[in-house]
PDB file of all heavy atoms in Angstrom:
ATOM      1  N   LYS B   4      63.170 -43.349 -40.951  1.00 44.00           N
ATOM      2  CA  LYS B   4      61.972 -43.847 -41.630  1.00 44.00           C
ATOM      3  C   LYS B   4      62.341 -44.582 -42.874  1.00 44.00           C
ATOM      4  O   LYS B   4      63.330 -44.276 -43.511  1.00 44.00           O
ATOM      5  CB  LYS B   4      61.047 -42.669 -41.971  1.00 44.00           C
ATOM      6  CG  LYS B   4      60.528 -41.926 -40.746  1.00 44.00           C
ATOM      7  CD  LYS B   4      59.618 -40.805 -41.182  1.00 44.00           C
ATOM      8  CE  LYS B   4      59.055 -40.043 -39.982  1.00 44.00           C
ATOM      9  NZ  LYS B   4      58.167 -38.942 -40.362  1.00 44.00           N
ATOM     10  N   ASN B   5      61.496 -45.577 -43.195  1.00 45.00           N
ATOM     11  CA  ASN B   5      61.687 -46.291 -44.439  1.00 45.00           C
ATOM     12  C   ASN B   5      61.353 -45.409 -45.611  1.00 45.00           C
ATOM     13  O   ASN B   5      60.378 -44.660 -45.582  1.00 45.00           O
ATOM     14  CB  ASN B   5      60.795 -47.547 -44.501  1.00 45.00           C
ATOM     15  CG  ASN B   5      61.211 -48.568 -43.439  1.00 45.00           C
ATOM     16  OD1 ASN B   5      62.373 -48.613 -43.087  1.00 45.00           O
ATOM     17  ND2 ASN B   5      60.237 -49.331 -42.965  1.00 45.00           N
ATOM     18  N   VAL B   6      62.151 -45.481 -46.605  1.00 45.00           N
ATOM     19  CA  VAL B   6      61.932 -44.671 -47.802  1.00 45.00           C
ATOM     20  C   VAL B   6      60.911 -45.346 -48.683  1.00 45.00           C
ATOM     21  O   VAL B   6      61.066 -46.510 -49.040  1.00 45.00           O
ATOM     22  CB  VAL B   6      63.243 -44.451 -48.568  1.00 45.00           C
ATOM     23  CG1 VAL B   6      62.992 -43.626 -49.829  1.00 45.00           C
ATOM     24  CG2 VAL B   6      64.266 -43.790 -47.652  1.00 45.00           C
ATOM     25  N   ARG B   7      59.886 -44.711 -49.030  1.00 45.00           N
ATOM     26  CA  ARG B   7      58.890 -45.262 -49.928  1.00 45.00           C
ATOM     27  C   ARG B   7      59.212 -44.857 -51.341  1.00 45.00           C
ATOM     28  O   ARG B   7      59.765 -43.805 -51.600  1.00 45.00           O
ATOM     29  CB  ARG B   7      57.503 -44.732 -49.534  1.00 45.00           C
ATOM     30  CG  ARG B   7      57.082 -45.151 -48.115  1.00 45.00           C
ATOM     31  CD  ARG B   7      55.746 -44.517 -47.764  1.00 45.00           C
ATOM     32  NE  ARG B   7      54.690 -44.939 -48.685  1.00 45.00           N
ATOM     33  CZ  ARG B   7      53.967 -46.036 -48.482  1.00 45.00           C
ATOM     34  NH1 ARG B   7      54.198 -46.836 -47.444  1.00 45.00           N
ATOM     35  NH2 ARG B   7      53.000 -46.347 -49.339  1.00 45.00           N
ATOM     36  N   CYS B   8      58.811 -45.646 -52.257  1.00 48.00           N
ATOM     37  CA  CYS B   8      59.127 -45.405 -53.677  1.00 48.00           C
ATOM     38  C   CYS B   8      57.933 -44.797 -54.398  1.00 48.00           C
ATOM     39  O   CYS B   8      57.598 -45.215 -55.503  1.00 48.00           O
ATOM     40  CB  CYS B   8      59.558 -46.689 -54.337  1.00 48.00           C
ATOM     41  SG  CYS B   8      61.129 -47.325 -53.720  1.00 48.00           S
ATOM     42  N   ASN B   9      57.335 -43.883 -53.739  1.00 48.00           N
ATOM     43  CA  ASN B   9      56.213 -43.253 -54.434  1.00 48.00           C
ATOM     44  C   ASN B   9      56.631 -42.243 -55.462  1.00 48.00           C
ATOM     45  O   ASN B   9      56.066 -42.213 -56.531  1.00 48.00           O
ATOM     46  CB  ASN B   9      55.282 -42.618 -53.402  1.00 48.00           C
ATOM     47  CG  ASN B   9      54.542 -43.706 -52.600  1.00 48.00           C
ATOM     48  OD1 ASN B   9      54.334 -44.784 -53.101  1.00 48.00           O
ATOM     49  ND2 ASN B   9      54.169 -43.361 -51.346  1.00 48.00           N
ATOM     50  N   PRO B  10      57.610 -41.392 -55.105  1.00 47.00           N
ATOM     51  CA  PRO B  10      57.955 -40.393 -56.115  1.00 47.00           C
ATOM     52  C   PRO B  10      58.470 -41.067 -57.389  1.00 47.00           C
ATOM     53  O   PRO B  10      59.195 -42.078 -57.313  1.00 47.00           O
ATOM     54  CB  PRO B  10      59.057 -39.554 -55.453  1.00 47.00           C
ATOM     55  CG  PRO B  10      58.844 -39.796 -53.984  1.00 47.00           C
ATOM     56  CD  PRO B  10      58.354 -41.190 -53.858  1.00 47.00           C
ATOM     57  N   PRO B  11      58.147 -40.528 -58.522  1.00 44.00           N
ATOM     58  CA  PRO B  11      58.573 -41.139 -59.788  1.00 44.00           C
ATOM     59  C   PRO B  11      60.069 -41.267 -59.951  1.00 44.00           C
ATOM     60  O   PRO B  11      60.555 -42.235 -60.535  1.00 44.00           O
ATOM     61  CB  PRO B  11      57.977 -40.198 -60.853  1.00 44.00           C
ATOM     62  CG  PRO B  11      56.871 -39.512 -60.165  1.00 44.00           C
ATOM     63  CD  PRO B  11      57.254 -39.391 -58.722  1.00 44.00           C
ATOM     64  N   GLU B  12      60.780 -40.229 -59.379  1.00 44.00           N
ATOM     65  CA  GLU B  12      62.232 -40.256 -59.602  1.00 44.00           C
ATOM     66  C   GLU B  12      62.912 -41.394 -58.816  1.00 44.00           C
ATOM     67  O   GLU B  12      64.055 -41.714 -59.062  1.00 44.00           O
ATOM     68  CB  GLU B  12      62.855 -38.907 -59.188  1.00 44.00           C
ATOM     69  CG  GLU B  12      62.736 -38.567 -57.736  1.00 44.00           C
ATOM     70  CD  GLU B  12      61.423 -37.872 -57.403  1.00 44.00           C
ATOM     71  OE1 GLU B  12      60.551 -37.849 -58.300  1.00 44.00           O
ATOM     72  OE2 GLU B  12      61.285 -37.375 -56.303  1.00 44.00           O
ATOM     73  N   LYS B  13      62.176 -42.004 -57.815  1.00 41.00           N
ATOM     74  CA  LYS B  13      62.782 -43.071 -57.029  1.00 41.00           C
ATOM     75  C   LYS B  13      62.340 -44.455 -57.483  1.00 41.00           C
ATOM     76  O   LYS B  13      62.813 -45.458 -56.927  1.00 41.00           O
ATOM     77  CB  LYS B  13      62.420 -42.897 -55.561  1.00 41.00           C
ATOM     78  CG  LYS B  13      63.056 -41.648 -54.933  1.00 41.00           C
ATOM     79  CD  LYS B  13      62.737 -41.610 -53.465  1.00 41.00           C
ATOM     80  CE  LYS B  13      63.413 -40.386 -52.810  1.00 41.00           C
ATOM     81  NZ  LYS B  13      63.116 -40.344 -51.374  1.00 41.00           N
ATOM     82  N   VAL B  14      61.470 -44.523 -58.452  1.00 41.00           N
ATOM     83  CA  VAL B  14      60.934 -45.837 -58.835  1.00 41.00           C
ATOM     84  C   VAL B  14      62.012 -46.720 -59.416  1.00 41.00           C
ATOM     85  O   VAL B  14      62.177 -47.867 -59.020  1.00 41.00           O
ATOM     86  CB  VAL B  14      59.770 -45.658 -59.838  1.00 41.00           C
ATOM     87  CG1 VAL B  14      59.377 -47.003 -60.399  1.00 41.00           C
ATOM     88  CG2 VAL B  14      58.589 -45.004 -59.161  1.00 41.00           C
ATOM     89  N   GLU B  15      62.797 -46.186 -60.374  1.00 40.00           N
ATOM     90  CA  GLU B  15      63.818 -47.004 -61.017  1.00 40.00           C
ATOM     91  C   GLU B  15      64.865 -47.404 -60.024  1.00 40.00           C
ATOM     92  O   GLU B  15      65.398 -48.525 -60.044  1.00 40.00           O
ATOM     93  CB  GLU B  15      64.456 -46.183 -62.151  1.00 40.00           C
ATOM     94  CG  GLU B  15      63.512 -45.926 -63.321  1.00 40.00           C
ATOM     95  CD  GLU B  15      63.020 -47.214 -63.942  1.00 40.00           C
ATOM     96  OE1 GLU B  15      63.814 -48.202 -63.986  1.00 40.00           O
ATOM     97  OE2 GLU B  15      61.876 -47.251 -64.365  1.00 40.00           O
ATOM     98  N   TRP B  16      65.177 -46.539 -59.085  1.00 39.00           N
ATOM     99  CA  TRP B  16      66.195 -46.855 -58.059  1.00 39.00           C
ATOM    100  C   TRP B  16      65.709 -47.974 -57.160  1.00 39.00           C
ATOM    101  O   TRP B  16      66.427 -48.880 -56.810  1.00 39.00           O
ATOM    102  CB  TRP B  16      66.478 -45.576 -57.264  1.00 39.00           C
ATOM    103  CG  TRP B  16      67.514 -45.798 -56.170  1.00 39.00           C
ATOM    104  CD1 TRP B  16      68.849 -45.783 -56.313  1.00 39.00           C
ATOM    105  CD2 TRP B  16      67.252 -46.014 -54.800  1.00 39.00           C
ATOM    106  NE1 TRP B  16      69.485 -45.997 -55.106  1.00 39.00           N
ATOM    107  CE2 TRP B  16      68.504 -46.147 -54.169  1.00 39.00           C
ATOM    108  CE3 TRP B  16      66.062 -46.105 -54.045  1.00 39.00           C
ATOM    109  CZ2 TRP B  16      68.626 -46.358 -52.803  1.00 39.00           C
ATOM    110  CZ3 TRP B  16      66.206 -46.320 -52.706  1.00 39.00           C
ATOM    111  CH2 TRP B  16      67.460 -46.468 -52.071  1.00 39.00           C
ATOM    112  N   CYS B  17      64.456 -47.936 -56.789  1.00 40.00           N
ATOM    113  CA  CYS B  17      63.901 -48.997 -55.938  1.00 40.00           C
ATOM    114  C   CYS B  17      63.850 -50.324 -56.658  1.00 40.00           C
ATOM    115  O   CYS B  17      64.117 -51.390 -56.055  1.00 40.00           O
ATOM    116  CB  CYS B  17      62.497 -48.590 -55.484  1.00 40.00           C
ATOM    117  SG  CYS B  17      62.524 -47.257 -54.258  1.00 40.00           S
ATOM    118  N   ARG B  18      63.490 -50.253 -57.935  1.00 44.00           N
ATOM    119  CA  ARG B  18      63.484 -51.509 -58.698  1.00 44.00           C
ATOM    120  C   ARG B  18      64.865 -52.134 -58.731  1.00 44.00           C
ATOM    121  O   ARG B  18      65.043 -53.347 -58.547  1.00 44.00           O
ATOM    122  CB  ARG B  18      62.980 -51.241 -60.115  1.00 44.00           C
ATOM    123  CG  ARG B  18      61.496 -50.992 -60.192  1.00 44.00           C
ATOM    124  CD  ARG B  18      61.125 -50.670 -61.630  1.00 44.00           C
ATOM    125  NE  ARG B  18      59.680 -50.404 -61.724  1.00 44.00           N
ATOM    126  CZ  ARG B  18      59.108 -49.901 -62.828  1.00 44.00           C
ATOM    127  NH1 ARG B  18      59.876 -49.635 -63.898  1.00 44.00           N
ATOM    128  NH2 ARG B  18      57.807 -49.693 -62.859  1.00 44.00           N
ATOM    129  N   SER B  19      65.856 -51.299 -58.983  1.00 40.00           N
ATOM    130  CA  SER B  19      67.246 -51.813 -59.036  1.00 40.00           C
ATOM    131  C   SER B  19      67.648 -52.388 -57.715  1.00 40.00           C
ATOM    132  O   SER B  19      68.329 -53.404 -57.620  1.00 40.00           O
ATOM    133  CB  SER B  19      68.190 -50.658 -59.415  1.00 40.00           C
ATOM    134  OG  SER B  19      67.850 -50.172 -60.685  1.00 40.00           O
ATOM    135  N   ARG B  20      67.201 -51.745 -56.626  1.00 44.00           N
ATOM    136  CA  ARG B  20      67.570 -52.220 -55.309  1.00 44.00           C
ATOM    137  C   ARG B  20      66.941 -53.597 -55.035  1.00 44.00           C
ATOM    138  O   ARG B  20      67.547 -54.509 -54.486  1.00 44.00           O
ATOM    139  CB  ARG B  20      67.126 -51.204 -54.293  1.00 44.00           C
ATOM    140  CG  ARG B  20      67.705 -51.426 -52.918  1.00 44.00           C
ATOM    141  CD  ARG B  20      67.280 -50.319 -52.012  1.00 44.00           C
ATOM    142  NE  ARG B  20      67.762 -50.565 -50.667  1.00 44.00           N
ATOM    143  CZ  ARG B  20      67.453 -49.787 -49.622  1.00 44.00           C
ATOM    144  NH1 ARG B  20      66.646 -48.726 -49.801  1.00 44.00           N
ATOM    145  NH2 ARG B  20      67.928 -50.066 -48.439  1.00 44.00           N
ATOM    146  N   ARG B  21      65.618 -53.733 -55.411  1.00 46.00           N
ATOM    147  CA  ARG B  21      64.954 -55.021 -55.195  1.00 46.00           C
ATOM    148  C   ARG B  21      65.614 -56.116 -56.032  1.00 46.00           C
ATOM    149  O   ARG B  21      65.793 -57.257 -55.575  1.00 46.00           O
ATOM    150  CB  ARG B  21      63.480 -54.891 -55.593  1.00 46.00           C
ATOM    151  CG  ARG B  21      62.678 -53.981 -54.664  1.00 46.00           C
ATOM    152  CD  ARG B  21      61.207 -54.150 -54.930  1.00 46.00           C
ATOM    153  NE  ARG B  21      60.441 -53.178 -54.162  1.00 46.00           N
ATOM    154  CZ  ARG B  21      59.843 -52.129 -54.694  1.00 46.00           C
ATOM    155  NH1 ARG B  21      59.932 -51.912 -55.996  1.00 46.00           N
ATOM    156  NH2 ARG B  21      59.136 -51.310 -53.943  1.00 46.00           N
ATOM    157  N   MET B  22      65.961 -55.825 -57.300  1.00 42.00           N
ATOM    158  CA  MET B  22      66.609 -56.812 -58.155  1.00 42.00           C
ATOM    159  C   MET B  22      67.961 -57.232 -57.590  1.00 42.00           C
ATOM    160  O   MET B  22      68.337 -58.402 -57.606  1.00 42.00           O
ATOM    161  CB  MET B  22      66.804 -56.215 -59.559  1.00 42.00           C
ATOM    162  CG  MET B  22      65.487 -56.068 -60.315  1.00 42.00           C
ATOM    163  SD  MET B  22      65.752 -55.372 -61.937  1.00 42.00           S
ATOM    164  CE  MET B  22      66.706 -56.625 -62.722  1.00 42.00           C
ATOM    165  N   PHE B  23      68.684 -56.266 -57.044  1.00 39.00           N
ATOM    166  CA  PHE B  23      70.004 -56.573 -56.471  1.00 39.00           C
ATOM    167  C   PHE B  23      69.857 -57.502 -55.281  1.00 39.00           C
ATOM    168  O   PHE B  23      70.597 -58.470 -55.132  1.00 39.00           O
ATOM    169  CB  PHE B  23      70.687 -55.263 -56.037  1.00 39.00           C
ATOM    170  CG  PHE B  23      71.993 -55.474 -55.385  1.00 39.00           C
ATOM    171  CD1 PHE B  23      73.111 -55.864 -56.134  1.00 39.00           C
ATOM    172  CD2 PHE B  23      72.141 -55.273 -54.009  1.00 39.00           C
ATOM    173  CE1 PHE B  23      74.324 -56.034 -55.523  1.00 39.00           C
ATOM    174  CE2 PHE B  23      73.340 -55.464 -53.416  1.00 39.00           C
ATOM    175  CZ  PHE B  23      74.458 -55.840 -54.156  1.00 39.00           C
ATOM    176  N   ARG B  24      68.826 -57.198 -54.428  1.00 48.00           N
ATOM    177  CA  ARG B  24      68.608 -58.081 -53.289  1.00 48.00           C
ATOM    178  C   ARG B  24      68.209 -59.500 -53.733  1.00 48.00           C
ATOM    179  O   ARG B  24      68.631 -60.488 -53.183  1.00 48.00           O
ATOM    180  CB  ARG B  24      67.510 -57.487 -52.374  1.00 48.00           C
ATOM    181  CG  ARG B  24      67.952 -56.240 -51.626  1.00 48.00           C
ATOM    182  CD  ARG B  24      66.796 -55.671 -50.886  1.00 48.00           C
ATOM    183  NE  ARG B  24      67.222 -54.476 -50.105  1.00 48.00           N
ATOM    184  CZ  ARG B  24      66.352 -53.661 -49.510  1.00 48.00           C
ATOM    185  NH1 ARG B  24      65.044 -53.868 -49.622  1.00 48.00           N
ATOM    186  NH2 ARG B  24      66.791 -52.647 -48.810  1.00 48.00           N
ATOM    187  N   ALA B  25      67.354 -59.534 -54.749  1.00 44.00           N
ATOM    188  CA  ALA B  25      66.902 -60.848 -55.272  1.00 44.00           C
ATOM    189  C   ALA B  25      68.082 -61.643 -55.825  1.00 44.00           C
ATOM    190  O   ALA B  25      68.226 -62.840 -55.607  1.00 44.00           O
ATOM    191  CB  ALA B  25      65.825 -60.655 -56.325  1.00 44.00           C
ATOM    192  N   LEU B  26      68.928 -60.922 -56.574  1.00 41.00           N
ATOM    193  CA  LEU B  26      70.099 -61.607 -57.157  1.00 41.00           C
ATOM    194  C   LEU B  26      71.020 -62.120 -56.073  1.00 41.00           C
ATOM    195  O   LEU B  26      71.621 -63.186 -56.165  1.00 41.00           O
ATOM    196  CB  LEU B  26      70.837 -60.626 -58.075  1.00 41.00           C
ATOM    197  CG  LEU B  26      70.138 -60.359 -59.423  1.00 41.00           C
ATOM    198  CD1 LEU B  26      70.909 -59.278 -60.187  1.00 41.00           C
ATOM    199  CD2 LEU B  26      70.071 -61.661 -60.259  1.00 41.00           C
ATOM    200  N   ARG B  27      71.159 -61.335 -54.987  1.00 47.00           N
ATOM    201  CA  ARG B  27      72.018 -61.792 -53.882  1.00 47.00           C
ATOM    202  C   ARG B  27      71.474 -63.074 -53.270  1.00 47.00           C
ATOM    203  O   ARG B  27      72.220 -64.004 -52.948  1.00 47.00           O
ATOM    204  CB  ARG B  27      72.118 -60.697 -52.828  1.00 47.00           C
ATOM    205  CG  ARG B  27      73.015 -59.542 -53.240  1.00 47.00           C
ATOM    206  CD  ARG B  27      73.034 -58.462 -52.190  1.00 47.00           C
ATOM    207  NE  ARG B  27      73.518 -58.993 -50.922  1.00 47.00           N
ATOM    208  CZ  ARG B  27      73.532 -58.287 -49.802  1.00 47.00           C
ATOM    209  NH1 ARG B  27      73.080 -57.033 -49.790  1.00 47.00           N
ATOM    210  NH2 ARG B  27      73.984 -58.832 -48.699  1.00 47.00           N
ATOM    211  N   ARG B  28      70.100 -63.109 -53.114  1.00 48.00           N
ATOM    212  CA  ARG B  28      69.509 -64.304 -52.560  1.00 48.00           C
ATOM    213  C   ARG B  28      69.690 -65.501 -53.496  1.00 48.00           C
ATOM    214  O   ARG B  28      69.984 -66.618 -53.083  1.00 48.00           O
ATOM    215  CB  ARG B  28      68.030 -64.067 -52.262  1.00 48.00           C
ATOM    216  CG  ARG B  28      67.799 -63.150 -51.081  1.00 48.00           C
ATOM    217  CD  ARG B  28      66.353 -63.252 -50.611  1.00 48.00           C
ATOM    218  NE  ARG B  28      65.419 -62.782 -51.639  1.00 48.00           N
ATOM    219  CZ  ARG B  28      65.019 -61.504 -51.710  1.00 48.00           C
ATOM    220  NH1 ARG B  28      65.470 -60.588 -50.879  1.00 48.00           N
ATOM    221  NH2 ARG B  28      64.141 -61.173 -52.666  1.00 48.00           N
ATOM    222  N   VAL B  29      69.506 -65.298 -54.809  1.00 41.00           N
ATOM    223  CA  VAL B  29      69.671 -66.375 -55.804  1.00 41.00           C
ATOM    224  C   VAL B  29      71.104 -66.865 -55.812  1.00 41.00           C
ATOM    225  O   VAL B  29      71.388 -68.058 -55.818  1.00 41.00           O
ATOM    226  CB  VAL B  29      69.209 -65.894 -57.200  1.00 41.00           C
ATOM    227  CG1 VAL B  29      69.628 -66.922 -58.259  1.00 41.00           C
ATOM    228  CG2 VAL B  29      67.722 -65.647 -57.226  1.00 41.00           C
ATOM    229  N   ASN B  30      72.051 -65.903 -55.838  1.00 46.00           N
ATOM    230  CA  ASN B  30      73.471 -66.312 -55.876  1.00 46.00           C
ATOM    231  C   ASN B  30      73.849 -67.100 -54.634  1.00 46.00           C
ATOM    232  O   ASN B  30      74.614 -68.047 -54.674  1.00 46.00           O
ATOM    233  CB  ASN B  30      74.352 -65.077 -55.987  1.00 46.00           C
ATOM    234  CG  ASN B  30      74.299 -64.462 -57.376  1.00 46.00           C
ATOM    235  OD1 ASN B  30      73.931 -65.160 -58.320  1.00 46.00           O
ATOM    236  ND2 ASN B  30      74.633 -63.188 -57.501  1.00 46.00           N
ATOM    237  N   ALA B  31      73.317 -66.690 -53.468  1.00 45.00           N
ATOM    238  CA  ALA B  31      73.621 -67.426 -52.254  1.00 45.00           C
ATOM    239  C   ALA B  31      73.091 -68.822 -52.317  1.00 45.00           C
ATOM    240  O   ALA B  31      73.744 -69.805 -51.918  1.00 45.00           O
ATOM    241  CB  ALA B  31      73.043 -66.689 -51.045  1.00 45.00           C
ATOM    242  N   THR B  32      71.847 -68.963 -52.836  1.00 44.00           N
ATOM    243  CA  THR B  32      71.242 -70.296 -52.977  1.00 44.00           C
ATOM    244  C   THR B  32      72.032 -71.170 -53.929  1.00 44.00           C
ATOM    245  O   THR B  32      72.316 -72.343 -53.664  1.00 44.00           O
ATOM    246  CB  THR B  32      69.793 -70.174 -53.461  1.00 44.00           C
ATOM    247  OG1 THR B  32      69.063 -69.332 -52.553  1.00 44.00           O
ATOM    248  CG2 THR B  32      69.131 -71.538 -53.534  1.00 44.00           C
ATOM    249  N   VAL B  33      72.425 -70.604 -55.090  1.00 38.00           N
ATOM    250  CA  VAL B  33      73.205 -71.342 -56.068  1.00 38.00           C
ATOM    251  C   VAL B  33      74.535 -71.789 -55.478  1.00 38.00           C
ATOM    252  O   VAL B  33      75.006 -72.898 -55.664  1.00 38.00           O
ATOM    253  CB  VAL B  33      73.423 -70.493 -57.341  1.00 38.00           C
ATOM    254  CG1 VAL B  33      74.416 -71.184 -58.268  1.00 38.00           C
ATOM    255  CG2 VAL B  33      72.093 -70.284 -58.037  1.00 38.00           C
ATOM    256  N   THR B  34      75.165 -70.850 -54.698  1.00 41.00           N
ATOM    257  CA  THR B  34      76.461 -71.172 -54.080  1.00 41.00           C
ATOM    258  C   THR B  34      76.319 -72.339 -53.110  1.00 41.00           C
ATOM    259  O   THR B  34      77.122 -73.264 -53.086  1.00 41.00           O
ATOM    260  CB  THR B  34      77.023 -69.963 -53.353  1.00 41.00           C
ATOM    261  OG1 THR B  34      77.169 -68.893 -54.301  1.00 41.00           O
ATOM    262  CG2 THR B  34      78.366 -70.269 -52.731  1.00 41.00           C
ATOM    263  N   ILE B  35      75.243 -72.300 -52.307  1.00 37.00           N
ATOM    264  CA  ILE B  35      75.015 -73.370 -51.332  1.00 37.00           C
ATOM    265  C   ILE B  35      74.757 -74.709 -52.049  1.00 37.00           C
ATOM    266  O   ILE B  35      75.301 -75.751 -51.685  1.00 37.00           O
ATOM    267  CB  ILE B  35      73.839 -73.024 -50.410  1.00 37.00           C
ATOM    268  CG1 ILE B  35      74.212 -71.831 -49.532  1.00 37.00           C
ATOM    269  CG2 ILE B  35      73.428 -74.202 -49.558  1.00 37.00           C
ATOM    270  CD1 ILE B  35      73.057 -71.280 -48.729  1.00 37.00           C
ATOM    271  N   LEU B  36      73.916 -74.676 -53.107  1.00 35.00           N
ATOM    272  CA  LEU B  36      73.622 -75.887 -53.860  1.00 35.00           C
ATOM    273  C   LEU B  36      74.868 -76.459 -54.498  1.00 35.00           C
ATOM    274  O   LEU B  36      75.108 -77.667 -54.508  1.00 35.00           O
ATOM    275  CB  LEU B  36      72.550 -75.608 -54.924  1.00 35.00           C
ATOM    276  CG  LEU B  36      71.127 -75.401 -54.416  1.00 35.00           C
ATOM    277  CD1 LEU B  36      70.208 -74.985 -55.574  1.00 35.00           C
ATOM    278  CD2 LEU B  36      70.608 -76.672 -53.752  1.00 35.00           C
ATOM    279  N   ALA B  37      75.689 -75.558 -55.065  1.00 37.00           N
ATOM    280  CA  ALA B  37      76.932 -76.005 -55.702  1.00 37.00           C
ATOM    281  C   ALA B  37      77.855 -76.662 -54.699  1.00 37.00           C
ATOM    282  O   ALA B  37      78.474 -77.682 -54.962  1.00 37.00           O
ATOM    283  CB  ALA B  37      77.615 -74.819 -56.365  1.00 37.00           C
ATOM    284  N   ALA B  38      77.946 -76.070 -53.500  1.00 38.00           N
ATOM    285  CA  ALA B  38      78.796 -76.642 -52.463  1.00 38.00           C
ATOM    286  C   ALA B  38      78.290 -78.005 -52.035  1.00 38.00           C
ATOM    287  O   ALA B  38      79.045 -78.949 -51.814  1.00 38.00           O
ATOM    288  CB  ALA B  38      78.851 -75.699 -51.262  1.00 38.00           C
ATOM    289  N   CYS B  39      76.935 -78.144 -51.910  1.00 39.00           N
ATOM    290  CA  CYS B  39      76.360 -79.439 -51.529  1.00 39.00           C
ATOM    291  C   CYS B  39      76.597 -80.498 -52.593  1.00 39.00           C
ATOM    292  O   CYS B  39      76.965 -81.640 -52.284  1.00 39.00           O
ATOM    293  CB  CYS B  39      74.849 -79.291 -51.292  1.00 39.00           C
ATOM    294  SG  CYS B  39      74.446 -78.312 -49.816  1.00 39.00           S
ATOM    295  N   LEU B  40      76.419 -80.110 -53.853  1.00 33.00           N
ATOM    296  CA  LEU B  40      76.662 -81.070 -54.950  1.00 33.00           C
ATOM    297  C   LEU B  40      78.111 -81.488 -54.985  1.00 33.00           C
ATOM    298  O   LEU B  40      78.441 -82.655 -55.250  1.00 33.00           O
ATOM    299  CB  LEU B  40      76.268 -80.442 -56.301  1.00 33.00           C
ATOM    300  CG  LEU B  40      74.749 -80.267 -56.515  1.00 33.00           C
ATOM    301  CD1 LEU B  40      74.513 -79.499 -57.817  1.00 33.00           C
ATOM    302  CD2 LEU B  40      74.070 -81.622 -56.551  1.00 33.00           C
ATOM    303  N   LEU B  41      79.062 -80.540 -54.734  1.00 33.00           N
ATOM    304  CA  LEU B  41      80.470 -80.884 -54.731  1.00 33.00           C
ATOM    305  C   LEU B  41      80.790 -81.873 -53.611  1.00 33.00           C
ATOM    306  O   LEU B  41      81.515 -82.848 -53.799  1.00 33.00           O
ATOM    307  CB  LEU B  41      81.300 -79.621 -54.552  1.00 33.00           C
ATOM    308  CG  LEU B  41      82.828 -79.816 -54.480  1.00 33.00           C
ATOM    309  CD1 LEU B  41      83.330 -80.440 -55.796  1.00 33.00           C
ATOM    310  CD2 LEU B  41      83.524 -78.506 -54.217  1.00 33.00           C
ATOM    311  N   ALA B  42      80.181 -81.618 -52.442  1.00 37.00           N
ATOM    312  CA  ALA B  42      80.405 -82.532 -51.312  1.00 37.00           C
ATOM    313  C   ALA B  42      79.874 -83.928 -51.618  1.00 37.00           C
ATOM    314  O   ALA B  42      80.495 -84.933 -51.324  1.00 37.00           O
ATOM    315  CB  ALA B  42      79.742 -81.964 -50.049  1.00 37.00           C
ATOM    316  N   VAL B  43      78.650 -83.972 -52.213  1.00 34.00           N
ATOM    317  CA  VAL B  43      78.071 -85.276 -52.585  1.00 34.00           C
ATOM    318  C   VAL B  43      78.936 -85.986 -53.596  1.00 34.00           C
ATOM    319  O   VAL B  43      79.177 -87.192 -53.529  1.00 34.00           O
ATOM    320  CB  VAL B  43      76.630 -85.079 -53.115  1.00 34.00           C
ATOM    321  CG1 VAL B  43      76.112 -86.382 -53.716  1.00 34.00           C
ATOM    322  CG2 VAL B  43      75.718 -84.595 -51.995  1.00 34.00           C
TER     323      VAL B  43
END
Side-chain angles (χ1 to χ4, degrees):
K4 297 181 179 180
N5 294 331
V6 179
R7 298 177 60 88
C8 294
N9 289 332
E12 65 273 9
K13 293 184 178 180
V14 171
E15 292 300 326
W16 180 83
C17 288
R18 286 177 181 170
S19 298
R20 193 175 177 185
R21 292 192 187 108
M22 289 179 64
F23 177 72
R24 290 174 178 170
L26 286 175
R27 285 178 59 185
R28 288 195 296 270
V29 170
N30 286 339
T32 304
V33 171
T34 302
I35 293 172
L36 287 175
C39 292
L40 289 174
L41 179 61
V43 171

